Amino acid sequence: MLLLRIFLLTCLSLALFQHVSFALLPRSPISLENNEYRGVLIAISDDVTENATLLERLKDVFTEASSSLFLATQQRSFFKEITILLPDTWSDSMTNIPAAGELFDAANIIVSNHENVGRETPYTNQFGSCGEEAEYIHLTDKFILDKQWTVDKYGDPAKVIVHEWGHLRWGLFDEYPKSQNEHFYLNEDREVEPTRCSKSVIGKEYDSSGKRCNINPRKGKWPKDDCRFEPISNNQATGSYMFASFLASVVEFCHSDVTGDLRSLHNAMAPNQQNIQCSYRSAWDVMLESEDFKNDNNPARQVIDTTPTFRVVKSSPLRIVLVLDVSASMRTNDRIGTLNQIATKYIRTTVPDGHFVGLVEFSTSSSITSYLAELRTSQSRDALAGLLPTAVNGVTSIGRGLESGVEVLENGEQVANGGIILLITDGQENRSPYIDEVKPTLVSKGVRVDTVALSDEADGKLFNLSTETGGIPFYYTEGNSSSGLNDALTATITMRLGGSQNVPIQLYSEKEAIPSGGKITGSTFIDSTIGKDSIFFFLWSTSGISVVVNRPNGGVIDSNSSEYNTNDAKKTVSVEVIGVAEPGEWLYEVTGPAQQVEISIQSVAKDNTQPIRVTTTTSHSLITETPAKTNIYAQVSRGYTPILKASVIATIERPNPHNPVDVQLRDNGAGADVVRDDGVYSGVFMDFVTATCPNCRYNIKVIAEDKDGRAEVPISITTSGVLPLNRVSPGYKTADQTEKVGQFSRVVSGGVIQAPVTIPTGDNFPPSRITDLRVVNASYDEQTITLAWTAPGNDFGRGTADEYDIRISREFHSISSNFTDGYRLTNQDIIDGDLKSPKTFGMDETFTVQVPEADENTTYYFSVWAWDEAGNEGEPSNVVSASIVLFVEDLDDVETTSEAPPEDFDMLPVIIGCSVAAAVVVCAVVVAVVVKIFCMGSEKPYTV
């Protein structure tokens, strides 16, 4: 009896390369000079109980990690200076040194209570493309404290740190399989190989019951779904850290130098994320392109001692100085009145208790209105808000205001280091001292400057002032629907204290017009994670208004309620909900004379509850190249758990008189989005105006919500992070269970984009790269292969492409390195589908291709790209393969732990579709029972 088997497997997709992302709140800046990393910030969450042993173990682990890192980078880097930030609730016996600007939300490495995280595995918050620095490494107190548990589960904790540093610093990806069908692949000889890097890693395959599996790889016998490769402990492989850092022999990252150590040689055929995201490049190749090692930066040198120096500090309150423009131009559009309203809200409700705020106003000269005052009571807040300016006069000396801001921070023999100046101005500086004269002092003293460019006329130097001092730039367009000033001031707090329990979360922020003789209505959702200190703000512009708020339970709050407050002097109405607001949809109704009304709604997380939060980044905040574009990212999460299926839209307000543009952000793994269903929603903005303004600004506002109850969170996340020793254990398998989040809404500022470039006209953008090409079906009878992918759009992730170009080749390395080397298919080669009729971005495409006649054991490799009508071509997709293979095997020669084949089958001809290096792996086997020798089609439609 003869056995014929062929397998179908889809290959890993390549990722679209993007530029390094810019977080609105910069992470603690890490520098590498003379092989020494400085500026590393480790922050311990306030949910971790005070523990001196934890602090000492942190030092021990990172001291050992420094030595391992030095060896792994071939003597080119190690940790020299590390700061550990403790919660402010920890006693002075741990440290009495206050933080000098170090913030939990800016930490490079976070340590949280393992009981509150939802996952125990160390991981890196990474959502950019290959080579991009990630956000932070996340560890738990258990990982640090319970050394034996950590060693048993993950191996040497110091080597785990090096693995995660590869993600954080160099934008590397894991070299182990992430999905069910990526554990094995067929090599070019059609032998079943376990996914690993390097191929020098040896081991055995076991199923979940502990039995051997994949014991006959040379026969192409595909293992069962629960088969896993387990490296043996006495390996000789020296690579790689991104595969199995727990192996004692692993001391390097995989490289591509065939003249180097072959025990660390990169395995480009393995279906893993490093090959997906980095176009088959090795980890070391990617590292050598980073600023750390590019152009032979930080060459290898001998270092006797790689022990870091540790500085331990305790979280301290924010010290903020509002530096406000009161020059004559602030009279335009009653800017001073709007500033007074928003700054009042900021002082009274946005800044949490225990932080300090001072006031400076400037025009021709400057004056200190208030030195730093602690905001803890309603009386202290009202007193400070009462000092906000109302009168305007004079010209604009921004530098003078900045100098006074520093003076406030240094009052009482305090140091300015770590202080924040929040500068709001509408004009061009026209009186010395100028920004460039004062900036060196700000940098040397460690003062961060947040800036709000109030209107298009505001000075173009504000952006650089923020970025060069470690602050955050914002922009308020003054548009009829813009709430940018309120969003900016709120963001200066939420971006720095987002992890704190008592920071307000903004649910709604809009500016609307009351029509003549009419009213405006709207609503927001208060979800089950929030409800404390819920406040509805209504700011009018000309005449008094009347507000009614309807509770979800049918209750009504109006002017007769104790929760209703009117301030005619500030032109505001506020509704402060008593107690914890009940979850559900809250409605509001505003009536009054025709005018603009700004509405803002916020709430605070319930005690001991992880609230839903949204954070944003962009790939470019300063546009220096054309054609101009930037990726916008929004991470939606509940605690550290991603929220899936939310609706996320970024509204980009453009220079007047241009209308705002909405960009739908998607978590579909296509276009700008790198990973599907990770809670990071991505999109591309490219609608820059062709105006000649030298520093055109664009304000980003992100709205994330779920009105329909579709959003959900995974119940557990177990496969993200470093590879555990035992992958067969049920704990390693990805949980596919989710739970509903419930209706919610969030609004955050995405900061400002500045574009001092000339924007060309015309269609300058190609379709996005297809990253999920896969084989979904194979027909032996029809001799066809069915391919599928997500439509890439016309201009990156927007619109509809004009045409597809599908290539086929018999050589994987040929088509993967040079797309046009492949044979180009025409519609005559397509059984189902039309190359000239692509679908709109995000839709599913399916094409069935006629397989050519071939000799036995031939594999065909496919790749595709899209064109638009202007001739712009996208990048080639990932490469997938399909084979029609004849195996004639003697059953007596086949070792197996699975069931025997049916005895009444003399021969089983099977068609294989397999893909090498694909993001989504689909295995499909099409079996035809025949009684004659397998043969290919009699007519060869084309040659490859």
Side-chain angles (χ1 to χ4, degrees):
M1 179 168 40
L2 298 176
L3 177 64
L4 303 174
R5 291 189 182 272
I6 309 170
F7 306 92
L8 178 66
L9 178 68
T10 340
C11 93
L12 284 177
S13 67
L14 306 174
L16 175 65
F17 280 17
Q18 299 158 356
H19 295 274
V20 176
S21 62
F22 170 81
L24 295 184
L25 176 65
R27 292 280 162 182
S28 178
I30 300 172
S31 64
L32 179 63
E33 295 182 9
N34 196 29
N35 310 101
E36 300 172 346
Y37 279 118
R38 300 173 185 267
V40 179
L41 177 61
I42 303 173
I44 299 176
S45 174
D46 57 11
D47 64 0
V48 176
T49 303
E50 181 175 329
N51 189 325
T53 303
L54 174 65
L55 185 57
E56 294 308 310
R57 278 290 300 150
L58 264 175
K59 295 177 181 179
D60 291 343
V61 168
F62 276 85
T63 297
E64 295 166 5
S66 182
S67 176
S68 298
L69 180 64
F70 188 62
L71 182 61
T73 58
Q74 302 178 19
Q75 298 182 316
R76 297 182 69 165
S77 68
F78 64 96
F79 297 128
K80 182 61 177 177
E81 292 181 354
I82 297 176
T83 299
I84 301 176
L85 178 66
L86 306 183
D88 60 0
T89 54
W90 286 29
S91 66
D92 287 346
S93 62
M94 305 297 291
T95 184
N96 61 359
I97 302 174
E102 292 89 355
L103 295 169
F104 180 87
D105 289 73
N108 312 113
I109 300 156
I110 290 173
V111 181
S112 297
N113 187 322
H114 68 283
E115 295 179 350
N116 297 333
V117 174
R119 63 176 99 176
E120 62 184 20
T121 306
Y123 71 94
T124 300
N125 192 36
Q126 178 182 18
F127 48 83
S129 291
C130 181
E132 293 185 7
E133 291 186 41
E135 292 297 294
Y136 58 83
I137 295 171
H138 187 274
L139 308 173
T140 66
D141 53 351
K142 184 175 183 178
F143 173 84
I144 299 297
L145 284 169
D146 195 339
K147 183 175 181 180
Q148 191 58 53
W149 174 85
T150 300
V151 170
D152 290 344
K153 194 168 183 66
Y154 304 110
D156 183 355
K159 295 179 72 174
V160 171
I161 299 301
V162 176
H163 171 97
E164 299 301 338
W165 191 260
H167 291 298
L168 179 76
R169 185 65 179 178
W170 305 304
L172 304 182
F173 288 84
D174 291 317
E175 292 169 341
Y176 61 84
K178 284 297 188 75
S179 67
Q180 175 62 46
N181 295 309
E182 292 177 354
H183 290 278
F184 298 91
Y185 67 98
L186 292 177
N187 64 23
E188 292 174 320
D189 296 324
R190 288 168 192 82
E191 298 171 347
V192 177
E193 289 271 11
T195 295
R196 66 208 189 281
C197 196
S198 70
K199 289 178 68 174
S200 296
V201 177
I202 60 175
K204 297 179 180 180
E205 292 82 12
Y206 299 94
D207 62 22
S208 56
S209 67
K211 294 181 180 180
R212 289 290 305 280
C213 54
N214 191 36
I215 61 175
N216 203 10
R218 290 185 177 85
K219 297 295 178 98
K221 184 177 180 61
W222 200 260
K224 288 190 173 182
D225 286 348
D226 64 347
C227 191
R228 297 289 184 271
F229 173 72
E230 296 295 328
I232 61 176
S233 59
N234 60 339
N235 257 278
Q236 299 301 309
T238 53
S240 166
Y241 259 101
M242 301 313 293
F243 172 62
S245 59
F246 56 78
L247 291 175
S249 63
V250 168
V251 293
E252 296 182 354
F253 294 92
C254 267
H255 63 81
S256 61
D257 183 4
V258 295
T259 65
D261 185 354
L262 298 182
R263 296 171 300 170
S264 298
L265 190 63
H266 180 56
N267 179 13
M269 293 287 288
N272 57 43
Q273 288 294 309
Q274 177 65 23
N275 284 328
I276 292 171
Q277 304 292 352
C278 298
S279 298
Y280 313 113
R281 291 183 299 159
S282 73
W284 186 248
D285 287 340
V286 174
M287 292 163 62
L288 290 179
E289 293 178 9
S290 72
E291 292 301 320
D292 286 350
F293 309 123
K294 189 175 182 180
N295 299 323
D296 203 29
N297 288 342
N298 297 288
R301 70 179 177 96
Q302 293 293 326
V303 176
I304 297 175
D305 186 6
T306 60
T307 302
T309 58
F310 293 92
R311 175 173 171 265
V312 182
V313 300
K314 186 189 295 188
S315 294
S316 56
L318 296 181
R319 294 175 298 132
I320 306 165
V321 184
L322 297 181
V323 177
L324 309 178
D325 190 346
V326 293
S327 62
S329 59
M330 288 291 289
R331 187 177 295 111
T332 306
N333 298 330
D334 191 28
R335 290 169 184 165
I336 192 65
T338 301
L339 175 58
N340 192 292
Q341 287 179 312
I342 300 300
T344 296
K345 172 182 175 292
Y346 173 85
I347 292 170
R348 284 181 169 168
T349 65
T350 303
V351 181
D353 287 346
H355 298 277
F356 293 80
V357 176
L359 291 179
V360 169
E361 56 185 64
F362 71 92
S363 57
T364 307
S365 60
S366 64
S367 62
I368 297 173
T369 309
S370 172
Y371 288 99
L372 292 174
E374 183 178 8
L375 301 184
R376 190 171 291 279
T377 65
S378 58
Q379 291 80 6
S380 62
R381 294 175 184 273
D382 288 343
L384 188 62
L387 299 176
L388 289 167
T390 57
V392 299
N393 192 29
V395 296
T396 307
S397 177
I398 296 176
R400 189 68 69 193
L402 293 170
E403 287 181 335
S404 293
V406 173
E407 184 180 344
V408 170
L409 292 172
E410 293 180 335
N411 182 58
E413 298 184 352
Q414 298 295 310
V415 295
N417 189 17
I420 300 165
I421 289 177
L422 175 49
L423 170 67
I424 305 175
T425 179
D426 73 334
Q428 300 283 331
E429 59 177 350
N430 50 26
R431 181 66 60 90
S432 66
Y434 297 102
I435 291 174
D436 290 340
E437 298 174 58
V438 180
K439 194 186 330 180
T441 299
L442 298 168
V443 173
S444 66
K445 289 179 178 289
V447 177
R448 294 166 171 82
V449 182
D450 294 345
T451 58
V452 181
L454 205 165
S455 81
D456 291 336
E457 289 77 35
D459 202 290
K461 294 180 180 179
L462 298 180
F463 182 92
N464 286 340
L465 175 61
S466 285
T467 56
E468 292 176 23
T469 60
I472 315 171
F474 298 94
Y475 164 54
Y476 174 45
T477 67
E478 293 188 299
N480 290 334
S481 60
S482 177
S483 58
L485 183 58
N486 170 70
D487 299 339
L489 267 63
T490 301
T492 63
I493 296 299
T494 58
M495 288 178 184
R496 290 187 168 90
L497 302 175
S500 301
Q501 193 72 15
N502 61 340
V503 174
I505 297 170
Q506 190 161 256
L507 313 182
Y508 189 89
S509 179
E510 294 288 346
K511 185 187 288 183
E512 304 179 50
I514 301 177
S516 179
K519 62 182 178 181
I520 54 176
T521 61
S523 67
T524 193
F525 295 99
I526 294 181
D527 57 87
S528 60
T529 69
I530 56 177
K532 289 180 57 180
D533 301 329
S534 300
I535 307 177
F536 293 68
F537 292 95
F538 304 87
L539 316 177
W540 76 77
S541 53
T542 57
S543 303
I545 58 174
S546 177
V547 175
V548 175
V549 175
N550 294 285
R551 295 174 175 268
N553 61 12
V556 175
I557 302 175
D558 56 21
S559 58
N560 297 315
S561 306
S562 60
E563 298 162 295
Y564 190 101
N565 302 285
T566 300
N567 187 325
D568 291 332
K570 300 286 187 178
K571 299 181 180 178
T572 64
V573 170
S574 62
V575 173
E576 303 182 19
V577 180
I578 297 174
V580 177
E582 64 266 27
E585 186 174 18
W586 289 66
L587 309 175
Y588 66 81
E589 177 182 297
V590 183
T591 57
Q595 61 183 310
Q596 296 292 121
V597 176
E598 187 162 342
I599 303 151
S600 176
I601 305 171
Q602 66 185 42
S603 187
V604 173
K606 293 179 181 177
D607 293 338
N608 303 314
T609 300
Q610 293 280 11
I612 297 169
R613 298 191 189 275
V614 179
T615 57
T616 63
T617 66
T618 61
S619 61
H620 298 75
S621 59
L622 178 64
I623 305 300
T624 58
E625 298 179 356
T626 57
K629 73 178 184 70
T630 187
N631 295 340
I632 301 173
Y633 307 103
Q635 188 168 34
V636 187
S637 59
R638 189 176 68 188
Y640 294 102
T641 304
I643 291 181
L644 314 180
K645 300 181 181 179
S647 170
V648 185
I649 295 177
T651 298
I652 294 85
E653 298 171 1
R654 305 186 296 172
N656 291 317
H658 301 276
N659 292 327
V661 173
D662 286 345
V663 176
Q664 181 77 52
L665 306 186
R666 305 176 188 272
D667 187 14
N668 62 354
D673 195 58
V674 176
V675 180
R676 182 185 184 93
D677 290 339
D678 64 346
V680 177
Y681 297 76
S682 313
V684 183
F685 171 67
M686 60 195 82
D687 294 306
F688 292 87
V689 302
T690 56
T692 57
C693 49
N695 292 287
C696 288
R697 301 179 181 94
Y698 301 78
N699 180 60
I700 304 173
K701 176 180 180 178
V702 175
I703 300 175
E705 60 187 4
D706 176 29
K707 294 182 177 180
D708 305 320
R710 295 178 63 251
E712 58 192 25
V713 295
I715 292 178
S716 65
I717 305 172
T718 55
T719 58
S720 176
V722 69
L723 182 68
L725 273 72
N726 184 7
R727 289 187 290 166
V728 177
S729 65
Y732 177 72
K733 296 178 180 179
T734 303
D736 56 3
Q737 293 181 322
T738 59
E739 63 182 14
K740 295 295 184 181
V741 174
Q743 295 169 309
F744 72 91
S745 59
R746 298 290 187 272
V747 177
V748 296
S749 172
V752 63
I753 306 166
Q754 190 152 307
V757 294
T758 301
I759 308 300
T761 58
D763 185 349
N764 299 290
F765 298 102
S768 61
R769 181 173 177 271
I770 296 166
T771 60
D772 62 347
L773 178 64
R774 57 200 182 275
V775 177
V776 296
N777 192 29
S779 171
Y780 166 75
D781 292 332
E782 301 297 331
Q783 298 288 286
T784 58
I785 299 293
T786 301
L787 306 172
W789 63 85
T790 302
N794 184 293
D795 298 323
F796 293 111
R798 185 173 66 182
T800 305
D802 191 58
E803 184 178 355
Y804 289 123
D805 181 349
I806 302 178
R807 302 281 173 148
I808 182 172
S809 173
R810 293 189 184 185
E811 296 180 358
F812 167 76
H813 292 289
S814 174
I815 195 172
S816 64
S817 61
N818 191 350
F819 174 80
T820 56
D821 280 353
Y823 173 88
R824 183 174 183 177
L825 301 182
T826 69
N827 272 334
Q828 292 182 341
D829 306 314
I830 305 299
I831 304 302
D832 183 26
D834 186 348
L835 294 170
K836 295 184 180 298
S837 297
K839 295 180 180 178
T840 302
F841 172 73
M843 298 182 68
D844 294 331
E845 294 277 23
T846 303
F847 279 68
T848 301
V849 178
Q850 181 72 55
V851 179
E853 178 184 355
D855 297 331
E856 180 181 320
N857 295 349
T858 298
T859 299
Y860 301 100
Y861 298 96
F862 296 89
S863 186
V864 59
W865 69 15
W867 295 71
D868 65 16
E869 68 280 359
N872 299 308
E873 60 189 39
E875 297 182 34
S877 73
N878 56 296
V879 178
V880 298
S881 65
S883 301
I884 296 178
V885 184
L886 177 62
F887 285 113
V888 179
E889 298 178 354
D890 186 341
L891 287 182
D892 294 335
D893 188 42
V894 176
E895 295 181 75
T896 180
T897 56
S898 60
E899 68 274 10
E903 293 190 7
D904 57 341
F905 284 9
D906 290 334
M907 191 172 292
L908 297 177
V910 184
I911 190 166
I912 301 179
C914 80
S915 87
V916 183
V920 180
V921 176
V922 179
C923 283
V925 178
V926 179
V927 180
V929 181
V930 296
V931 292
K932 61 182 180 178
I933 299 298
F934 171 87
C935 66
M936 300 290 293
S938 59
E939 182 176 351
K940 186 173 182 179
Y942 48 83
T943 303
V944 292

